[in-house]
Amino acid sequence: MITFTPLSGAVGAHSTVPLAYLLQVDDVRVLLDCGSPDWTPEQHPTSEVGTSTDFPWTNYCNVLRECAPTVDLVLLSHGDLAHTGLYAYAYANWGLKAPAYTTIPVQAMARIVTLEDVEGTRDEQYIRNPEQSQLNDNPDSSDTPGDAFAMDGSSRHSPMRYIATAHDVHEAYDAVNTLRHSQPTHLQGKCQGITITPFAAGHTLGGTIWKIRSPSAGTIVYAVNMNHMRERHLDGTVLYRPSAGGVFEPLARPDLLITDADRANVITSRRKERDAAMIDAIGATLSSRCSLLLPCDAGPRLLELLVLLDQHWKYADFRYPICLLSRNGREMLTFVRSMMEWIGGTVSKEDVGVDGSGKTGYKRRRGDDDGDDEALGAFALRFKHLEFFMNPQSLVQKYSSKEPKLILAVPASLSHGPSRSMFADFAAVPDNVVLLTSRGEEGTLARMLFDRWNSSQRGDDTWDKGKIGCNVMMDGALQLRMNSKVPLQGAELEDHLARERVTKEKEAAQQAAIVRNQRMLEADEDESDEESDSDEEDEVERALNDDKMDATDSDMGMTNSSKRRRKAEKLEDNTDWGLDMDDGLTKTLLSFDIYLKGNVSKATSFFKSAGGQTQRFRMFPYVEKKRRVDEYGETIDVGMWLRRGKVFEEEAESDETKEAKRKQAEEEAKTAVQEPPSKYVSSEIEIQLACRLLFIDMEGLNDGRAVKTIVPQVNPRKMILVHASVDAAKVLIESCGQIRAMTKDIYAPEASESIQIGQQTNSFSISLSDELLSTINMSRFEDNEVGYVTGRVVNHFSSTIPVLEPSGSSVPADVNVRTDAPLNRLLGSRLTQPLPRSTMIGELKLTVLKARLASIGIPAELIGEGVLVCGAAAKRAQSTDNIEETVAVRKTGRGKVELEGNVSNIYYAVRKEIYGLHALVAA
């Protein structure tokens, strides 16, 4: 049985992003994507007292936190925040430790995009750990660690935002398993029996359509955010390629298709028209000595924009700079250049060998001005006109606000980071252009600007009608909340330094107390061992002194002094580990004479001596040293061994090594940027809008026409719609309802609504005997081999798994039992014996049969619906004299095929091809 529950991104939700769905196949729970919302929306839900209430992501995060420890498998489809943004936090804090799978580019892109988001957010706002909120609510505790603190109590009244740290991001994505497209993987453990296969989805680099095959639930295809169109840097999805005959065969006719319908009611303009409109807008703006701001994400969609701009810059010979404001943009491009096998489109056919100047690829790389040794990919991805900037301040230092330039700033939502800061300064300058390439998430500044632009268009020029639209002059005032991190000054700086000094003193005192306590514990342990040893030695001495009257006072004094000397020497021995015990400096721990004093041969009884003492012999006394032990054996002081090991390593190092380490530490200390003590501040500013606003769709997704064409050709048995508005889902359901062969089992669940498909099945393990295996005739069907067996189940005492053995002969018939013939039996006729029937597994497709017949020279033609005419009648130009050489193949129902025609060579050839398209399981 299949159970599907949308955690986020359901139909009819307030926001269709992020995407996260829980798929349960029998007892295996699969998490499909784990996206994150925008954590700083423009409109905050507040209560009457001004404190934060439920945010759009509250319910989603609570549900994901509860189910994360129970997830058995995680599948990530695209490397953007909408699909992977929350995975790192859930991995580090919510116990989402299940095996995760994705492609190599998605793993790297998701890491880069998540790092960009978390670092940009934490650089502007104080992010408290929701898992320790009870500690942060204490007003006496320190709200912020390190050298920054929040002002105006914003840390206590800010919403719960589940933002990971950079360490969490690296740790989470290092644990992800990577696959290649069309690489089937057979899972083990609890997921044993399930096979997952990734296929190219388009839209993003490494974007994936997941095919999940289960022996009990059949085939499940998870395909969201696809693009069948070829782009500059990427090929379209393999799901649908008209040039290859339509739908990709391994993904056709699945038992369940999970797909999105976000753009089912949208008609997108042609790609050439969109590219031309963008280039014209950029060229006209720069020629007028104005600048453009293009908000974008540091993810896979940025690559398409850079390729387009770089090609136009080379063609038009522009000298204007292209500025990328991103922390990880350079890292992203370096990775892409190393993944050229994943690149498609026109980039893969660029001049990677010889350029226009006649230089070969090797000479061109060596002669490049940028000197980037890591850029070993195609020359189309080197972007000679692109410049990288970490923050807006470095951009302003190099280029003034009056110089024309194209600015690519992250993030695309304009909610925080460089893009928001640049927009605040950019929007007030007349004739500057803000160019949006995506609609943005609901509630963000980018979505508010898109709604303003879309409402200003004419009725037929809106973005969903297949038109480009025109730019809009913005006017009026806009209130923005700006978050920033500023250095402390004056009294605040002195107060912070004083608090920091007190904190360091407390930490030093605590550390010294810990060290002192550790030393005292070690000394106590050594002294306790020495005391126990001394006690045993005293017992031996008392036992040896058989005649106490023979011991003089001087002997006792010498014994006491020797005991004190032994104790001091042993303490010295325990503290000095560097002393070599083999250097001849032996320590006399206890001195005994070989001849014992007193009469040792006096009369004793058999069990005890007469004086109540045990029998003794002349021998060297031995004292066994006691060891502290626990249930696992002798206790070991790990800290002491580690400290001594560090000392040994330092002593083994040469002077040159120590000097090199010291110089390296000094250089790192000099080059390390010491961030001054700072604070987080938040302010409300008012912007007088004077710039122009333009939207050009560059998201690279299928529109309604493509979705309505591809889904019926995939022809799933059941379908679930996600990631769509109510209107878009209704449009796609109505379109599929008009096709008679399309399934009627189409579901559109809401958030947290579970859909159950199929019935509960139980699987059992059974072992086939060698005798039975030798008699099975296997037939291959897709990725499996199928055979028919008849046997009996036998339980052996030596195995817990039952064994299926050949049934052999039936119960022997008793010859003495008389059987009466039926009354209606004719005289001389034989008894009717039931014959075993063979089973044919598979589904006949007339188009595939037509292609196979054409390959062997038999003409075939489809007439009507579900009828294929083969042979002479299929030749239109030929006379119908040889009508007996004609065969008709007709599908009369599900699983029923009729072959009608005269017995001829054509008949047997067509029947053979039909059998070849099925797996024949002989009884």
Side-chain angles (χ1 to χ4, degrees):
M1 184 175 66
I2 300 174
T3 304
F4 181 82
T5 306
L7 307 182
S8 178
V11 173
H14 173 72
S15 178
T16 57
V17 291
L19 283 72
Y21 311 102
L22 186 62
L23 175 69
Q24 183 170 348
V25 182
D26 293 337
D27 295 332
V28 179
R29 295 164 66 87
V30 184
L31 181 63
L32 303 174
D33 287 330
C34 187
S36 66
D38 191 280
W39 302 109
T40 54
E42 294 299 319
Q43 300 174 356
H44 297 271
T46 57
S47 62
E48 296 179 356
V49 296
T51 58
S52 300
T53 59
D54 288 345
F55 279 74
W57 61 78
T58 303
N59 184 55
Y60 160 54
C61 293
N62 291 337
V63 175
L64 181 60
R65 183 198 289 111
E66 294 177 359
C67 68
T70 63
V71 171
D72 303 310
L73 178 65
V74 180
L75 301 178
L76 305 177
S77 57
H78 293 276
D80 53 7
L81 291 176
H83 295 81
T84 60
L86 198 57
Y87 172 72
Y89 187 90
Y91 179 89
N93 298 279
W94 293 343
L96 188 61
K97 303 295 185 179
Y101 291 87
T102 188
T103 58
I104 299 176
V106 170
Q107 179 200 29
M109 290 295 178
R111 186 200 303 264
I112 293 172
V113 171
T114 309
L115 279 175
E116 186 78 38
D117 181 64
V118 301
E119 290 177 352
T121 305
R122 289 180 176 274
D123 192 48
E124 294 183 355
Q125 306 175 52
Y126 168 65
I127 305 299
R128 57 173 176 169
N129 187 0
E131 314 306 324
Q132 299 178 354
S133 58
Q134 66 275 11
L135 298 178
N136 292 335
D137 289 339
N138 184 6
D140 297 331
S141 62
S142 178
D143 282 337
T144 57
D147 294 339
F149 59 92
M151 297 296 291
D152 302 331
S154 59
S155 63
R156 284 190 292 270
H157 301 298
S158 60
M160 287 291 183
R161 288 172 292 188
Y162 305 94
I163 301 177
T165 62
H167 174 73
D168 295 340
V169 174
H170 288 294
E171 184 180 5
Y173 287 105
D174 287 342
V176 173
N177 303 292
T178 56
L179 304 175
R180 293 186 175 272
H181 283 157
S182 303
Q183 175 187 347
T185 302
H186 304 282
L187 304 180
Q188 301 297 328
K190 187 177 180 180
C191 303
Q192 187 172 8
I194 294 180
T195 303
I196 58 175
T197 309
F199 294 94
H203 176 57
T204 62
L205 188 66
T208 302
I209 296 174
W210 285 104
K211 177 182 178 182
I212 307 170
R213 188 171 183 84
S214 170
S216 59
T219 302
I220 304 170
V221 174
Y222 174 66
V224 294
N225 288 4
M226 298 180 296
N227 185 16
H228 74 287
M229 298 296 294
R230 185 184 183 190
E231 298 185 274
R232 281 178 168 79
H233 79 292
L234 206 59
D235 291 330
T237 177
V238 300
L239 180 61
Y240 179 74
R241 289 185 177 177
S243 59
V247 176
F248 191 43
E249 184 65 24
L251 297 176
R253 193 62 175 165
D255 295 285
L256 176 62
L257 173 65
I258 305 171
T259 187
D260 62 329
D262 187 31
R263 294 185 169 227
N265 56 351
V266 173
I267 299 176
T268 307
S269 58
R270 298 176 58 193
R271 198 192 75 174
K272 291 184 178 180
E273 296 177 356
R274 288 182 276 122
D275 294 348
M278 174 174 284
I279 294 302
D280 292 343
I282 293 174
T285 305
L286 295 177
S287 300
S288 61
R289 308 296 298 175
C290 296
S291 301
L292 295 95
L293 175 63
L294 201 156
C296 61
D297 283 322
R301 292 306 305 172
L302 174 61
L303 193 59
E304 179 72 12
L305 296 175
L306 293 178
V307 173
L308 171 62
L309 296 174
D310 185 69
Q311 291 177 353
H312 181 67
W313 250 246
K314 291 179 181 178
Y315 174 79
D317 197 18
F318 278 170
R319 300 302 179 188
Y320 306 108
I322 303 176
C323 307
L324 177 59
L325 277 170
S326 172
R327 298 171 180 265
N328 303 294
R330 189 186 300 272
E331 181 184 354
M332 185 270 292
L333 292 180
T334 301
F335 167 77
V336 170
R337 295 187 189 108
S338 66
M339 288 284 115
M340 290 305 299
E341 66 271 20
W342 297 85
I343 301 292
T346 59
V347 171
S348 61
K349 295 179 175 55
E350 291 273 343
D351 50 335
V352 296
V354 181
D355 64 349
S357 62
K359 295 182 181 180
T360 61
Y362 175 75
K363 294 181 179 178
R364 182 173 178 177
R365 283 198 296 269
R366 293 294 298 271
D368 251 350
D369 296 333
D370 54 16
D372 188 3
D373 294 336
E374 296 180 353
L376 302 179
F379 298 120
L381 299 179
R382 295 184 69 81
F383 306 124
K384 185 172 63 175
H385 304 279
L386 182 64
E387 300 182 28
F388 299 92
F389 297 93
M390 294 291 293
N391 48 55
Q393 290 76 16
S394 59
L395 174 62
V396 173
Q397 290 177 0
K398 186 170 184 179
Y399 297 106
S400 65
S401 59
K402 297 181 180 180
E403 295 184 50
K405 52 189 171 296
L406 174 60
I407 304 174
L408 303 172
V410 298
S413 60
L414 294 170
S415 58
H416 65 277
S419 62
R420 189 179 184 88
S421 176
M422 293 301 301
F423 176 80
D425 301 331
F426 201 85
V429 180
D431 294 331
N432 277 355
V433 176
V434 177
L435 182 57
L436 302 177
T437 58
S438 62
R439 292 176 294 168
E441 187 179 340
E442 199 71 41
T444 59
L445 177 59
R447 189 56 174 263
M448 294 171 58
L449 295 177
F450 167 77
D451 292 339
R452 175 178 291 195
W453 175 87
N454 197 37
S455 60
S456 302
Q457 302 299 314
R458 297 179 181 178
D460 296 336
D461 291 342
T462 55
W463 79 284
D464 56 348
K465 302 298 182 183
K467 303 293 183 180
I468 299 296
C470 56
N471 57 42
V472 175
M473 178 66 73
M474 300 181 65
D475 56 0
L478 180 64
Q479 296 286 338
L480 284 183
R481 184 179 183 89
M482 303 298 296
N483 301 311
S484 60
K485 186 178 180 181
V486 298
L488 297 179
Q489 296 178 355
E492 291 181 345
L493 179 58
E494 295 178 359
D495 186 24
H496 173 75
L497 293 177
R499 290 203 309 261
E500 190 178 39
R501 186 164 51 252
V502 172
T503 303
K504 289 183 178 179
E505 291 176 356
K506 290 182 178 179
E507 291 178 355
Q510 292 176 357
Q511 188 67 23
I514 292 174
V515 174
R516 185 170 60 255
N517 293 336
Q518 182 68 22
R519 291 178 179 174
M520 292 175 62
L521 290 176
E522 293 176 1
D524 291 342
E525 291 179 0
D526 296 339
E527 186 161 352
S528 62
D529 292 340
E530 296 298 335
E531 290 178 355
S532 62
D533 295 343
S534 300
D535 294 341
E536 291 189 357
E537 293 172 5
D538 293 341
E539 293 178 1
V540 172
E541 290 181 0
R542 285 195 301 269
L544 293 175
N545 293 332
D546 180 55
D547 190 0
K548 295 183 180 180
M549 299 303 296
D550 294 340
T552 62
D553 295 338
S554 59
D555 295 336
M556 296 299 297
M558 294 177 60
T559 304
N560 293 332
S561 61
S562 63
K563 289 200 300 182
R564 287 193 297 268
R565 185 171 59 255
R566 288 195 303 270
K567 185 172 182 179
E569 289 176 352
K570 285 191 177 182
L571 288 176
E572 182 183 359
D573 180 60
N574 286 331
T575 55
D576 188 6
W577 285 61
L579 182 61
D580 189 2
M581 297 301 296
D582 297 331
D583 57 355
L585 299 177
T586 57
K587 294 182 178 181
T588 308
L589 300 181
L590 184 61
S591 177
F592 291 101
D593 192 355
I594 189 171
Y595 298 105
L596 301 181
K597 295 181 180 180
N599 185 12
V600 297
S601 60
K602 63 183 178 179
T604 58
S605 65
F606 181 79
F607 295 102
K608 291 184 179 181
S609 61
Q613 296 182 357
T614 59
Q615 187 177 5
R616 299 187 306 276
F617 301 91
R618 284 191 173 93
M619 62 179 293
F620 286 104
Y622 172 73
V623 179
E624 182 180 2
K625 186 176 180 180
K626 293 183 178 180
R627 302 291 183 181
R628 294 182 178 273
V629 297
D630 55 12
E631 60 271 20
Y632 298 103
E634 182 180 350
T635 58
I636 300 176
D637 188 355
V638 181
M640 183 181 298
W641 284 104
L642 292 177
R643 289 192 296 271
R644 292 307 306 171
K646 190 174 182 180
V647 171
F648 290 152
E649 290 178 0
E650 293 177 355
E651 292 177 353
E653 291 179 354
S654 61
D655 296 338
E656 293 79 3
T657 306
K658 294 180 180 179
E659 185 67 21
K661 285 187 176 181
R662 186 183 62 81
K663 291 182 178 180
Q664 183 180 1
E666 291 179 356
E667 292 177 358
E668 291 179 354
K670 291 179 181 179
T671 56
V673 179
Q674 296 293 336
E675 185 178 357
S678 56
K679 63 180 179 180
Y680 296 104
V681 296
S682 180
S683 60
E684 294 283 346
I685 63 173
E686 181 176 320
I687 303 175
Q688 296 295 331
L689 300 177
C691 64
R692 293 183 176 274
L693 181 64
L694 178 62
F695 171 77
I696 298 177
D697 183 20
M698 298 294 291
E699 293 188 55
L701 293 170
N702 286 336
D703 62 351
R705 294 170 299 184
V707 172
K708 295 174 185 176
T709 302
I710 296 174
V711 170
Q713 294 195 34
V714 176
N715 195 17
R717 292 179 172 85
K718 291 179 176 60
M719 185 167 65
I720 296 178
L721 299 181
V722 295
H723 185 45
S725 61
V726 176
D727 296 336
K730 186 180 298 184
V731 168
L732 183 57
I733 293 175
E734 291 176 355
S735 174
C736 295
Q738 297 175 0
I739 303 175
R740 186 173 62 179
M742 187 67 186
T743 180
K744 307 304 178 186
D745 298 330
I746 302 177
Y747 308 94
E750 298 179 354
S752 302
E753 178 186 356
S754 298
I755 299 295
Q756 294 184 354
I757 299 175
Q759 298 178 351
Q760 181 67 33
T761 57
N762 297 321
S763 59
F764 302 93
S765 298
I766 194 170
S767 177
L768 302 182
S769 63
D770 296 338
E771 184 181 359
L772 183 65
L773 284 173
S774 61
T775 60
I776 299 177
N777 295 323
M778 305 298 292
S779 299
R780 189 165 187 83
F781 175 66
E782 293 184 356
D783 298 334
N784 304 313
E785 292 187 359
V786 186
Y788 182 86
V789 296
T790 302
R792 58 176 181 173
V793 179
V794 178
N795 291 319
H796 292 283
F797 67 92
S798 61
S799 175
T800 58
I801 301 177
V803 179
L804 184 64
E805 297 181 348
S807 58
S809 60
S810 305
V811 178
D814 191 354
V815 295
N816 297 325
V817 178
R818 179 180 178 181
T819 57
D820 297 331
L823 299 177
N824 56 355
R825 175 186 172 189
L826 299 177
L827 184 62
S829 64
R830 297 181 178 179
L831 293 175
T832 303
Q833 297 290 338
L835 297 177
R837 300 179 60 184
S838 299
T839 304
M840 303 186 70
I841 300 176
E843 183 179 3
L844 178 63
K845 295 185 178 181
L846 298 181
T847 55
V848 179
L849 178 60
K850 178 183 175 182
R852 294 192 61 164
L853 292 176
S855 63
I856 62 176
I858 299 178
E861 190 71 26
L862 286 168
I863 59 172
E865 184 175 354
V867 179
L868 179 67
V869 177
C870 313
K875 300 178 181 180
R876 299 179 180 177
Q878 188 175 351
S879 62
T880 58
D881 296 338
N882 297 330
I883 194 66
E884 64 276 1
E885 296 290 331
T886 300
V887 176
V889 182
R890 183 180 294 107
K891 295 178 68 175
T892 59
R894 186 172 182 178
K896 295 182 179 180
V897 179
E898 291 184 358
L899 184 61
E900 181 180 356
N902 296 322
V903 177
S904 60
N905 294 333
I906 297 293
Y907 176 85
Y908 289 109
V910 173
R911 190 183 70 172
K912 181 180 179 181
E913 293 300 325
I914 293 175
Y915 286 173
L917 292 174
H918 294 76
L920 181 62
V921 181

